[in-house]
Amino acid sequence: MSVLAHGIGSQHDLPLSPFYAFAGAFAALFVSFLALGLLWSVSRFHGDRAGRPLPVVLQRLADARPTRTAARVLGLAAALFVLLHLLLGPNGPEHNPAAGTVYVLLWVGLVPASLLLGPVWRLLNPLRTLHLLVCRALGRDPVAGRPLPVHLGLWPAAVGLLAFTWLELVAPDPASSTALLLFFVLHGVVHLAGAARHGARWFDHADAFEVYSGLLARLSPLGRRPADRRLVLRSPFNGLDAVPQIPGLVATVCVMLGSTAYDGFSDAPSWITTVQTSPLGRTTAATLGLLAAVALVATLHALCAGATRLISGQLRHPLTAFAHSLVPIALGYLVAHYFTLFVTEGPHTVMVALGADNPVPPEPPLTPGGIATLQVAAIVIGHVLGVVAAHDRSVRLFPPARAVAGQLPLLALMIAYTIGGLTLLLA
């Protein structure tokens, strides 16, 4: 594979004036903030209660047993494909599609798949399917099990995401068959053991890929109403508004943001020199860098939450109350950093899987200027969507006299994240 230096690579291709990029971003944030403050005084989002039901025929097709069975078979087949190539294939991404399948088609491909189709990994997840098959063979209810501790929340998923991003961005040889096999063996053992103890609901809270896909799917126009299980077309803001405020949510989103930020920073010449010359060793220094990036994102969010609580005077859980507004920001970073990778290395991985010998990756569909515009636009739009989501939540939670003032810490946070995101792209 042409670009797998730290898992899935990165590319600085921004022939764009930093002045115009920053000016446009700040203008978009301030204009949206002022417009919302003047024109949006009542909450307009209704979470899982919103949406227009899809035609019954589409509902039946989506919920039909053959449809779900086909998805599960596809997930198992893909897992078996990767496993066989890791065990029997050559050790190198140039001739072995396993690394590209994991880092590009799975990790990056889950972003557009979840945005278009909803939480698709819930059906494709081979571990969930294996657990289902074992339960059926033993005559057990797959949902049965000990209740999950309330305080557990999404913390296992946050830890799993951090472990996977460490493998992708820090491990000495993330594309090696040994590294990938070790990770997925440990991943499978942990989650099958968790499901055996707590039932299938374990995957909803603990499986990193399911939670990752589920959070991104909150921005999908397709949703499902919990009350009647109907598939609906909805505003992505309503899906975002329905993000559950549970322990570990902030940690999960901060890992998504921080790891993407570290990925953008990790190929800077100054950081490469620092890591290579560190007396701690490359892996230790890079690990500390990844943890520092996640900690910085979390610290900024915690400071914002503290300031919001002081202004509001009554908000009990400000950390989780506005954590949903970070999801579109994380999405913007993902699009900005991985678009070029997905449209070039994705087809390259498919060609390698089909047996092509040293295929040439296709050229990006956009010019460098087009890619630059897309990357900046993704970050700016992600932050604007975050501002809208935060504003609607604030007018619902705060007294009218404090609704706008209560958002000032959030605006400061959005500006800080915007500066950081654009700086990483423009550096």
Side-chain angles (χ1 to χ4, degrees):
M1 185 162 294
S2 59
V3 187
L4 271 173
H6 54 232
I8 60 175
S10 64
Q11 181 176 346
H12 294 290
D13 39 21
L14 276 174
L16 195 67
S17 166
F19 173 79
Y20 290 113
F22 281 105
F26 293 153
L29 287 175
F30 280 113
V31 169
S32 60
F33 178 78
L34 292 175
L36 290 169
L38 293 172
L39 303 174
W40 198 309
S41 59
V42 179
S43 176
R44 304 182 183 185
F45 304 146
H46 306 289
D48 281 334
R49 295 171 294 158
R52 177 175 298 179
L54 290 175
V56 175
V57 64
L58 293 179
Q59 173 88 30
R60 290 176 178 172
L61 178 63
D63 291 340
R65 177 172 292 183
T67 303
R68 294 178 173 272
T69 300
R72 294 187 181 110
V73 170
L74 177 61
L76 279 178
L80 183 61
F81 171 85
V82 171
L83 181 62
L84 290 176
H85 277 83
L86 290 176
L87 290 172
L88 306 176
N91 192 16
E94 297 83 5
H95 305 287
N96 191 330
T101 301
V102 171
Y103 291 124
V104 181
L105 300 183
L106 169 60
W107 180 240
V108 183
L110 268 180
V111 177
S114 301
L115 288 176
L116 292 174
L117 302 174
V120 292
W121 192 247
R122 196 174 193 278
L123 278 180
L124 295 172
N125 188 350
L127 296 179
R128 184 183 282 272
T129 301
L130 285 175
H131 174 254
L132 176 64
L133 293 175
V134 171
C135 287
R136 287 181 177 176
L138 298 177
R140 292 181 51 188
D141 181 359
V143 180
R146 298 186 182 183
L148 287 166
V150 176
H151 64 272
L152 189 69
L154 300 180
W155 278 105
V159 173
L161 277 176
L162 185 61
F164 180 78
T165 53
W166 181 90
L167 174 68
E168 172 202 343
L169 303 173
V170 174
D173 191 5
S176 73
S177 297
T178 302
L180 285 167
L181 271 173
L182 179 60
F183 175 83
F184 283 112
V185 167
L186 292 175
H187 178 79
V189 169
V190 168
H191 289 295
L192 289 176
R197 181 180 177 85
H198 297 288
R201 66 175 63 88
W202 166 265
F203 297 107
D204 298 326
H205 293 263
D207 188 285
F209 300 107
E210 275 205 20
V211 172
Y212 174 73
S213 174
L215 285 174
L216 294 173
R218 294 291 179 175
L219 288 164
S220 171
L222 289 177
R224 191 181 288 272
R225 288 193 307 224
D228 56 8
R229 305 301 299 163
R230 284 300 303 271
L231 284 174
V232 297
L233 284 176
R234 66 185 182 188
S235 163
F237 285 114
N238 284 311
L240 200 59
D241 190 60
V243 172
Q245 298 180 41
I246 58 179
L249 172 62
V250 174
T252 302
V253 180
C254 287
V255 170
M256 292 171 62
L257 279 169
S259 61
T260 308
Y262 178 78
D263 187 20
F265 179 71
S266 62
D267 65 339
S270 58
W271 178 249
I272 293 175
T273 301
T274 299
V275 168
Q276 291 178 343
T277 59
S278 171
L280 298 174
R282 178 208 168 275
T283 301
T284 302
T287 300
L288 292 176
L290 174 62
L291 294 176
V294 175
L296 177 61
V297 171
T299 300
L300 291 175
H301 182 65
L303 292 173
C304 169
T308 301
R309 185 171 185 175
L310 287 175
I311 293 174
S312 70
Q314 64 182 27
L315 196 60
R316 294 183 58 189
H317 303 290
L319 273 174
T320 55
F322 292 95
H324 70 300
S325 65
L326 301 183
V327 175
I329 298 175
L331 173 62
Y333 286 172
L334 289 168
V335 172
H337 282 277
Y338 300 140
F339 169 79
T340 304
L341 172 84
F342 185 66
V343 297
T344 56
E345 295 300 334
H348 179 268
T349 297
V350 173
M351 288 187 284
V352 172
L354 294 176
D357 187 23
N358 292 323
V360 178
E363 291 295 324
L366 300 176
T367 63
I371 293 174
T373 303
L374 173 67
Q375 291 176 314
V376 172
I379 289 179
V380 173
I381 292 173
H383 284 81
V384 171
L385 295 180
V387 169
V388 174
H391 176 84
D392 188 85
R393 183 64 58 86
S394 69
V395 298
R396 182 188 308 167
L397 297 177
F398 297 158
R402 297 183 180 180
V404 174
Q407 296 174 68
L408 291 176
L410 290 166
L411 178 62
L413 179 67
M414 301 294 181
I415 291 174
Y417 285 165
T418 302
I419 292 174
L422 292 180
T423 299
L424 290 174
L425 284 178
L426 297 168

